[in-house]
Amino acid sequence: MREGEKAMDRNAFVEVMNEASGMLESGQAQEALARLTAFDNALLAAPEPQDYGWVVSYRFRSAFAAGDFAQALHIAENGPARFPADIPPATLATMYSMAVEAATSLGRAESAVTMADRCIDLRRSQGGPEEVLMAAMTACTLLGDIERHDLASRYAQLLITEGEGHDEHRAYGYYAICGAIEHGVGGHLVDMLRGGHDWLATHDSEFAREALGYLENSPTVRNAASSFPPPAEFPPPVDLLPAAGFPQPVDPLPPVDFSPLLDPAQTALLQVSDTGIAAVSGPKQPPAEQLAGGETADALLEAQRPAVAAAAYRALIDEAMSTGKPDPLIVGKSVLGLLMSLIFDNQVGEAHAVWIDEQGPTYLGVWALENGQTSVHDSIAYNLVAAFLHSLSTGDRNASNHAVDTLMGRCVNWAFDKDAQVVPAMLNTWRRHLFEIHEGEPAPEYRWELTQAEQRWGGPLPESGLYWMRPYRWVVDWV
């Protein structure tokens, strides 16, 4: 600090971070970005690098949430413009992964590749193969969405060559190279696809079935020459040049992990201490890499990519179970996301099979959702899913009606207390479920509980589609 310059006011710093967190949580991303930008611009001296890392990561997330993808991408590509910032590896990798979406939203495919490669490089050095594969899958999906199958295919090859033991990721890799071949930019991948025939034939997942069907029936594959040289394996990672402005970590950093995925909850727990900004001790959190994987899967679901999201949730369940001590929160939220993904992808039969399976790993997730191992918010979101599945039962109508009344009654009571604006949508959903069960208007005795709830509301109930709730963020802040 130069003579005459004042240190950053720590109380003001904590206040700003808490304000920004609250704004982000309430959907006021533009306001959060403006508040953080004004605070950043007013700094006259370099703060502690760790503290400034909070400011940078929040500015990135606020810009991303506000749809200002150009600013978010600029921060990720160039780093902080004013002062040094220390950002934990997991947070930085997540920023790079989100920047891939920012870049593809802007149509900047080459920048997306740069961001994806930085993310993968960090995941290799700091995480495990699951994190690497998820980063590759995200890049592959987003580049494919903007029809850059030529660039997406390099990540598809990574998924195939490094995805042994991670079947959902590997199957998606084969699925993605089918897209490259079909779009005329994957001729060199035909032999790789052919070489995967036996593997695809023995793996029954949506992406494996799609890839196998394309392999066996596509004229493009059938007419392709068989003289392509053996595909090279995805090149091993190389040490990237340090990204501008961001020091590249060598060893995991010891300070608080303030991943943007956990920002709202973590910031709400900030306190001023002698050593700087620190988190108040709270409930034990599940593994950070699994939390990040869950947020990524939720983002895919919200981006209306249910098939890809389902694969991500299944992979997360497999990862949690492979530890031998699966975290109920992780498995529960993964099953909730998986059920929603399958329903939104019109795979209702498969969703029902997952829901009633008492032998597979998803049984633990259903148990967690039904026994208070997740937030109340996720419990209500699950009740909405369960009510939908009960409404489709072809068995005892009385039992189905009772189950729907019980589940939707919980949901509506929660909404009256916590979020009254969604009561009409929930009541309409309840009514639609009863119509489904009874194949038309139910008799008065079957809609008595719904009628009581409608009278309690007392307002208009416009027609609408079924109501679903976005899953709660992946953090334990509700104990």
Side-chain angles (χ1 to χ4, degrees), residues 26-57:
S26 62
Q28 298 175 291
Q30 290 279 10
E31 292 81 354
L33 179 59
R35 184 73 176 94
L36 290 162
T37 301
F39 178 78
D40 192 351
N41 291 342
L43 292 174
L44 300 178
E48 289 296 320
Q50 182 184 345
D51 291 345
Y52 195 58
W54 280 86
V55 177
V56 173
S57 67

Side-chain angles (χ1 to χ4, degrees), residues 18-91:
N18 283 328
E19 285 180 8
S21 173
M23 291 174 181
L24 282 171
E25 191 170 359
S26 62
Q28 298 175 291
Q30 290 279 10
E31 292 81 354
L33 179 59
R35 184 73 176 94
L36 290 162
T37 301
F39 178 78
D40 192 351
N41 291 342
L43 292 174
L44 300 178
E48 289 296 320
Q50 182 184 345
D51 291 345
Y52 195 58
W54 280 86
V55 177
V56 173
S57 67
Y58 264 68
R59 282 193 66 173
F60 171 86
R61 184 181 175 189
S62 298
F64 185 90
D68 189 347
F69 296 128
Q71 182 173 172
L73 181 59
H74 180 81
I75 293 172
E77 284 187 315
N78 299 288
R82 304 188 64 210
F83 306 115
D86 282 347
I87 300 180
T91 300

Side-chain angles (χ1 to χ4, degrees), residues 124-243:
R124 284 194 193 282
S125 64
Q126 303 294 329
E130 187 77 24
E131 289 76 41
V132 172
L133 293 171
M134 181 55 68
M137 188 172 180
T138 299
C140 185
T141 301
L142 293 171
L143 287 165
D145 284 348
I146 62 171
E147 304 297 327
R148 289 305 304 268
H149 298 280
D150 55 327
L151 299 176
S153 64
R154 67 192 297 257
Y155 301 106
Q157 291 177 77
L158 185 153
L159 292 170
I160 294 169
T161 58
E162 299 188 23
E164 186 172 357
H166 302 272
D167 294 347
E168 289 294 331
H169 292 97
R170 196 175 199 188
Y172 187 78
Y174 281 115
Y175 172 80
I177 66 173
C178 293
I181 294 169
E182 186 64 23
H183 286 80
V185 293
H188 60 295
L189 299 173
V190 172
D191 279 356
M192 174 176 273
L193 180 60
R194 287 172 173 158
H197 181 277
D198 291 347
W199 187 90
L200 292 168
T202 57
H203 288 78
D204 187 25
S205 70
E206 180 182 359
F207 294 121
R209 291 192 297 269
E210 290 287 337
L212 182 61
Y214 181 82
L215 171 59
E216 293 181 340
N217 300 300
S218 168
T220 304
V221 175
R222 186 165 55 249
N223 298 330
S226 300
S227 58
F228 295 114
E233 292 191 358
F234 195 86
V238 296
D239 292 332
L240 298 177
L241 292 175

Side-chain angles (χ1 to χ4, degrees), residues 380-445:
I380 297 300
Y382 170 73
N383 283 345
L384 290 171
V385 171
F388 169 76
L389 294 171
H390 273 296
S391 76
L392 302 179
S393 172
T394 58
D396 185 344
R397 288 183 177 181
N398 290 334
S400 297
N401 199 120
H402 177 71
V404 166
D405 282 348
T406 300
L407 293 164
M408 292 307 302
R410 291 175 191 164
C411 294
V412 169
N413 286 337
W414 174 87
F416 270 116
D417 184 47
K418 299 295 184 181
D419 193 5
Q421 65 180 347
V422 306
V423 169
M426 286 190 173
L427 290 173
N428 186 66
T429 297
W430 191 346
R431 181 187 63 81
R432 290 171 66 96
H433 288 338
L434 295 184
F435 267 66
E436 179 69 31
I437 292 169
H438 297 281
E439 300 180 353
E441 178 70 45
E445 61 268 25

Side-chain angles (χ1 to χ4, degrees), residues 317-405:
I317 292 169
D318 290 343
E319 179 186 358
M321 299 302 294
S322 70
T323 66
K325 295 182 178 179
D327 189 292
L329 176 81
I330 295 295
V331 183
K333 288 180 64 59
S334 297
V335 167
L336 173 61
L338 175 60
L339 290 171
M340 294 179 70
S341 298
L342 293 172
I343 291 169
F344 296 166
D345 198 34
N346 293 318
Q347 304 291 325
V348 177
E350 188 170 352
H352 187 268
V354 168
W355 184 50
I356 65 173
D357 183 6
E358 296 185 358
Q359 303 299 323
T362 54
Y363 176 71
L364 173 60
V366 172
W367 177 88
L369 289 163
E370 294 180 348
N371 288 275
Q373 301 302 300
T374 63
S375 66
V376 173
H377 180 107
D378 279 339
S379 176
I380 297 300
Y382 170 73
N383 283 345
L384 290 171
V385 171
F388 169 76
L389 294 171
H390 273 296
S391 76
L392 302 179
S393 172
T394 58
D396 185 344
R397 288 183 177 181
N398 290 334
S400 297
N401 199 120
H402 177 71
V404 166
D405 282 348

